[in-house]
């Protein structure tokens, strides 16, 4: 049972890190969006959360940055993730794509 807690904290850390960066970059809309996902990550089902820690090495930081950056308000055809589970689904899809 410890694995989901560790995974959840690590996953939440992504949003905290990028929210701090958005704050420093003076991007309040992006910061709000990231903080919303940070809070909503408490509600992600454990079985979904358990899928990402073992496979995260498949993606480089630039890909994670690109996916998480898609959470700002819709622009240039990019997606918007209002909930952390939406982002996690996108991240897992990207991992599957890069694994093959």
């Amino acid at each position: 049972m410890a694995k989901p807690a560790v995974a959840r904290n690590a996953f939440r850390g992504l949003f905290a890190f990028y929210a701090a960066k958005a704050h420093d970059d003076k991007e309040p809309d992006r910061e709000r969006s990231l903080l919303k996902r940070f809070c909503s990550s408490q509600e992600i089902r454990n079985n979904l959360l358990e899928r990402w820690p073992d496979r995260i090495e498949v993606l480089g930081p630039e890909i994670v940055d690109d996916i998480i950056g898609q959470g700002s308000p819709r622009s240039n055809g990019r997606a918007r993730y209002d909930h952390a589970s939406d982002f996690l689904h996108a991240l897992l899809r990207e991992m599957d794509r890069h694994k093959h």
Side-chain angles (χ1 to χ4, degrees):
M1 291 300 274
K3 188 173 178 181
V6 171
R8 185 175 312 279
N9 289 339
F11 190 69
R12 293 182 84 212
L14 283 174
F15 298 121
F17 172 76
Y18 282 99
K21 182 173 181 340
H23 179 80
D24 286 344
D25 293 345
K26 297 183 180 16
E27 296 178 354
D29 291 340
R30 188 164 189 239
E31 181 183 4
R32 256 190 311 280
S33 174
L34 288 159
L35 289 175
K36 184 177 181 180
R37 282 181 272 154
F38 174 81
C39 293
S40 67
S41 63
Q42 288 290 82
E43 303 163 9
I44 297 175
R45 296 183 329 263
N46 284 343
N47 64 343
L48 180 62
L49 207 59
E50 288 171 355
R51 293 172 52 196
W52 83 276
D54 297 330
R55 296 170 25 199
I56 195 66
E57 300 97 30
V58 174
L59 299 177
E62 67 284 346
I63 294 172
V64 174
D65 183 52
D66 186 52
I67 295 169
I68 209 164
Q70 293 177 13
S72 19
R74 190 168 190 73
S75 62
N76 299 328
R78 298 173 89 181
R80 178 179 179 149
Y81 307 114
D82 287 329
H83 196 282
S85 61
D86 296 335
F87 170 76
L88 182 53
H89 279 290
L91 188 61
L92 291 169
R93 277 193 307 272
E94 196 67 26
M95 284 186 222
D96 286 340
R97 211 173 63 146
H98 281 78
K99 191 166 78 171
H100 301 291

